[in-house]
Amino acid sequence: MNKVISIAILITVIVAFTQCSTLSKINNNMQPNVLSGDWKISKWRETYNVKAAFPVGVPIFKIDSDKGLLNVTNGCNQVTAQIRHNSSSATIQFYALESNRLFCNTTPELELIDILSRVNKYEVNENSLKLKINNDIIIIFERKN
């Protein structure tokens, strides 16, 4: 009799955990991660004239926050990185940064990797992304359609 009760309790616990896990997956799928997507720089450091700062091409950031990946292209160079972020504390870290560094490098392109390695906070909504070093906004993006 004790074995039957133990087995019934075990089955009940397994079913309860399975249902909670399924509900968690459904809720997560209903909430897309707003950080993911394609972002175009609209403000670089102190300048809003981003086309002048990046004459080869304004960098496009492709963020896949679920996989923790960043891919940046500007028509000449490509930068890749891994991402750690915490949406509740709005912290972010770009690490394992790599670039192909072709001859077309301009000063802002060379600064981009250094700045990304120091970014530690962000603000994001459906249409804008702000990367910060501490509380200073360094780069502002608009979502690319």
Side-chain angles (χ1 to χ4, degrees), residues 44-112:
W44 167 256
R45 302 181 94 184
E46 292 82 30
T47 183
Y48 283 94
N49 190 351
V50 180
K51 288 182 181 183
F54 295 94
V56 176
V58 176
I60 304 295
F61 281 52
K62 295 176 186 270
I63 298 175
D64 185 336
S65 58
D66 294 331
K67 292 182 181 177
L69 299 174
L70 169 69
N71 187 356
V72 182
T73 57
N74 74 337
C76 183
N77 283 302
Q78 184 170 3
V79 176
T80 58
Q82 293 183 17
I83 303 171
R84 286 186 194 108
H85 69 94
N86 182 315
S87 57
S88 61
S89 63
T91 56
I92 193 165
Q93 179 187 20
F94 299 97
Y95 63 101
L97 288 144
E98 296 179 5
S99 173
N100 59 350
R101 298 182 189 236
L102 297 176
F103 180 69
C104 55
N105 285 342
T106 61
T107 301
E109 284 185 84
L110 299 173
E111 293 174 345
L112 185 61

Side-chain angles (χ1 to χ4, degrees), residues 16-48:
F17 279 120
T18 303
Q19 288 178 346
C20 289
S21 174
T22 302
L23 287 174
S24 174
K25 288 178 185 175
I26 291 170
N27 287 339
N28 285 341
N29 290 337
M30 292 171 48
Q31 298 285 335
N33 191 328
V34 73
L35 188 58
S36 289
D38 293 357
W39 299 94
K40 185 175 183 177
I41 294 178
S42 60
K43 181 181 182 259
W44 167 256
R45 302 181 94 184
E46 292 82 30
T47 183
Y48 283 94

